[in-house]
Amino acid sequence: MISGRSEPPAHSTGRHNVEMEQRRSSEWQSGSDSPILMHDLNDQDDVWIDPKHEKAFLNRLDKRLLGFAMLGNMVKALDNSNLGSAFISGMEEELNITGLQYNWMTVLFMAGYLTMQIPSNMMLSKLRPSIYLPTLEIIWTVLTLAMACVQSVNGVYVIRVLLGLSEAGFYPGIVFLLGTWYTKRELGKRMALLTICGSLGNGMSGVVQAIMLKSMEGVLGISGWRWMFVFDACVTATLAWFGRFYLPDYPHNTRWLNNKERDIAMRRVDDDASSKLDGGLLLATKQSSTIGSVRKLIRNKYLYLFVLGWASLQLALGASHVIGIVMRKVGFDAVTANLLTTPCMLTTMTAGLCNGFISDRMRTRFWCILCPAIVGFFGLTMLSKFVQPFPFLYASFVCMHAGLGSTTSIVMTWASETISRDIGVRALAIATMNTSASIMWLWSPLVLWPVTDAPRYRKQRTSYQNYLI
């Protein structure tokens, strides 16, 4: 509970301070969290948030915002991975995909994704997330069902562009929203949970596709790989319904918060940002004009390092997207190749979760990026040699993906904390970072990962060398 401002007479001020100190001491002696010092919205007196009430607020927020974010990122990753799983499960033969057509499907998706990322986050900073984000999911539900019905390569091309446009706003938008609600001491572990759910979605793709091949192949005359897209669409539609009713907007305008919870939310974020208050609303929640936000972003000294680092990291992670194709091309059947993608993803998920908690616990971002990156460096080196026998090659994939993948949440958390607390600037910064990664994927599937070069992908050595530089 937030203690209200009292109006003691001047002679009682000393007694009031002593009582406050005794309260703080008793909290520490009882082994519970200490009350959090906040600033009164209307004057300069200090007030306290009761840790029990803050914990209850966080639990409610986690169930709504974090729950939606984790499930949404899992479904998004599942959808992104489905193309590769479908390709090695009969789609290649049924649609007569030849040459670099599969790679063009990836490039066209990224073209749509790249086009919409920054505009989407600009709109999100001015709209209600509880309406905007579920609407995006409804759109990509329809497009995912269209993938289940597609009959030609050209049809896949059109759907992939539209999917890129509709999915572009989700990840940068949800990262932006998490940074709006959670403090620095809370954000790292939650970003790790967000990231591992993406890894879980990638890992589930192979398992679900294997199940569809075993149990649904030919049911109602529909191929197993098509049933995968139907399953994905049903899950996405359910999540969109959940988000519409349970997702928060911003601390000052979320409808399902009561007055006490809204007060806690706004004071927490204000204390974390060390910003000033104006008229009972956080200045951090006020929106700059679009032009003003762009100007502030361009002048931000941290932006360019984060953009370069994020783009390089995503480029180096390209190998994780072809593991299923490599397994298929070295001789495994479709079911086994799909299943072999799962252990790699689960290892990455575990590494990401541990790294996020360690980062928050140790209060460091730098070392939680550098140390896993060394493990990723080892895996990249082994993959560049295409080491044999096969168990060594597979272990190299695991080292590369777990090492580099476990740093993604830390990098994004660090950027969200460092670049700006201004809503417009931070939304643009996150979208710019993701746009830089999308630019890498406009050319790397064709240059570094052409399916015609599988399983050795000789040209990928260039990406490893660039990453190390």
Side-chain angles (χ1 to χ4, degrees):
M1 175 179 180
I2 302 176
S3 60
R5 183 172 65 91
S6 60
E7 299 288 349
H11 66 271
S12 66
T13 302
R15 185 180 64 183
H16 173 75
N17 291 337
V18 170
E19 291 174 350
M20 186 63 72
E21 288 297 325
Q22 290 174 346
R23 177 185 174 189
R24 294 174 65 187
S25 177
S26 65
E27 289 281 355
W28 278 103
Q29 290 172 2
S30 65
S32 62
D33 295 334
S34 64
I36 299 173
L37 180 64
M38 293 296 174
H39 207 69
D40 198 307
L41 292 171
N42 300 314
D43 57 36
Q44 300 301 312
D45 291 339
D46 291 331
V47 294
W48 298 93
I49 289 181
D50 189 324
K52 293 181 180 179
H53 287 266
E54 186 188 28
K55 184 176 181 180
F57 165 76
L58 278 175
N59 287 339
R60 192 179 187 201
L61 185 63
D62 284 341
K63 290 175 183 178
R64 290 174 174 263
L65 173 55
L66 186 61
F68 176 85
M70 291 168 62
L71 291 174
N73 201 37
M74 182 180 69
V75 171
K76 180 180 178 298
L78 181 65
D79 182 63
N80 289 342
S81 301
N82 280 351
L83 183 67
S85 298
F87 179 77
I88 63 176
S89 303
M91 182 181 182
E92 179 181 13
E93 294 80 11
E94 191 168 332
L95 298 186
N96 192 28
I97 300 173
T98 59
L100 297 179
Q101 288 178 335
Y102 169 78
N103 297 99
W104 276 110
M105 294 173 188
T106 303
V107 169
L108 290 172
F109 173 85
M110 282 299 168
Y113 201 83
L114 172 64
T115 302
M116 197 61 187
Q117 277 200 17
I118 292 179
S120 181
N121 256 29
M122 291 173 67
M123 288 189 290
L124 179 62
S125 67
K126 301 180 183 300
L127 299 174
R128 286 186 175 272
S130 62
I131 297 176
Y132 183 69
L133 293 176
T135 299
L136 292 181
E137 292 194 315
I138 289 295
I139 294 172
W140 97 55
T141 295
V142 175
L143 294 170
T144 303
L145 283 175
M147 278 294 296
C149 304
V150 72
Q151 299 297 325
S152 68
V153 170
N154 289 335
V156 176
Y157 287 163
V158 173
I159 295 170
R160 293 292 290 177
V161 172
L162 296 176
L163 268 172
L165 290 171
S166 63
E167 290 189 20
F170 184 82
Y171 182 77
I174 209 67
V175 168
F176 158 70
L177 196 57
L178 288 172
T180 300
W181 283 91
Y182 291 106
T183 64
K184 291 181 180 180
R185 60 191 170 88
E186 300 160 350
L187 191 57
K189 61 178 69 72
R190 286 167 175 81
M191 284 296 297
L193 289 170
L194 179 70
T195 301
I196 66 169
C197 281
S199 298
L200 180 61
N202 287 324
M204 284 179 57
S205 179
V207 174
V208 175
Q209 185 65 79
I211 293 173
M212 295 300 171
L213 286 173
K214 285 290 188 180
S215 61
M216 300 297 290
E217 179 70 32
V219 174
L220 301 178
I222 300 174
S223 303
W225 66 267
R226 295 182 185 273
W227 279 112
M228 179 66 186
F229 290 107
V230 174
F231 171 82
D232 194 13
C234 292
V235 174
T236 306
T238 302
L239 185 64
W241 178 89
F242 173 86
R244 178 63 188 88
F245 293 100
Y246 292 94
L247 191 66
D249 294 309
Y250 299 109
H252 68 280
N253 67 350
T254 296
R255 295 172 180 173
W256 48 261
L257 288 179
N258 59 43
N259 290 334
K260 291 182 179 179
E261 289 173 329
R262 181 173 291 106
D263 203 18
I264 290 174
M266 295 172 65
R267 292 172 191 271
R268 277 166 31 87
V269 177
D270 173 64
D271 179 71
D272 188 56
S274 298
S275 61
K276 295 181 180 179
L277 299 168
D278 179 21
L281 290 177
L282 288 172
L283 286 176
T285 64
K286 292 187 176 181
Q287 301 167 4
S288 303
S289 67
T290 301
I291 296 178
S293 296
V294 171
R295 288 175 178 171
K296 290 179 182 179
L297 185 66
I298 292 174
R299 293 195 298 264
N300 192 287
K301 61 182 179 180
Y302 301 109
L303 172 69
Y304 303 99
L305 289 175
F306 278 113
V307 166
L308 179 62
W310 187 252
S312 300
L313 178 60
Q314 297 302 315
L315 179 62
L317 276 168
S320 65
H321 296 276
V322 298
I323 183 172
I325 295 176
V326 171
M327 301 301 107
R328 188 76 171 94
K329 297 298 183 181
V330 297
F332 291 99
D333 60 71
V335 173
T336 304
N338 276 299
L339 291 176
L340 281 173
T341 64
T342 301
C344 183
M345 299 298 178
L346 293 178
T347 304
T348 302
M349 179 180 70
T350 304
L353 179 63
C354 293
N355 201 32
F357 275 81
I358 291 172
S359 177
D360 276 1
R361 180 75 174 177
M362 303 302 293
R363 299 295 177 91
T364 178
R365 307 301 185 204
F366 175 78
W367 291 108
C368 287
I369 293 173
L370 180 62
C371 295
I374 294 174
V375 178
F377 163 79
F378 174 77
L380 288 172
T381 303
M382 294 299 101
L383 285 177
S384 68
K385 306 295 183 182
F386 201 74
V387 292
Q388 293 295 319
F390 174 77
F392 288 100
L393 179 67
Y394 190 78
S396 300
F397 271 111
V398 173
C399 287
M400 176 278 304
H401 198 193
L404 300 183
S406 65
T407 67
T408 55
S409 65
I410 310 300
V411 173
M412 191 57 75
T413 300
W414 203 7
S416 187
E417 294 171 345
T418 304
I419 291 177
S420 178
R421 293 300 301 184
D422 181 279
I423 280 185
V425 175
R426 187 157 46 86
L428 282 174
I430 294 170
T432 300
M433 288 175 62
N434 279 281
T435 298
S436 70
S438 299
I439 291 174
M440 298 296 103
W441 279 95
L442 278 179
W443 60 270
S444 60
L446 296 172
V447 177
L448 303 178
W449 310 105
V451 70
T452 53
D453 202 22
R456 290 186 174 271
Y457 291 107
R458 293 177 178 84
K459 295 179 182 178
Q460 42 75 16
R461 295 180 185 179
T462 304
S463 69
Y464 299 150
Q465 293 167 355
N466 289 341
Y467 171 73
L468 298 180
I469 292 173

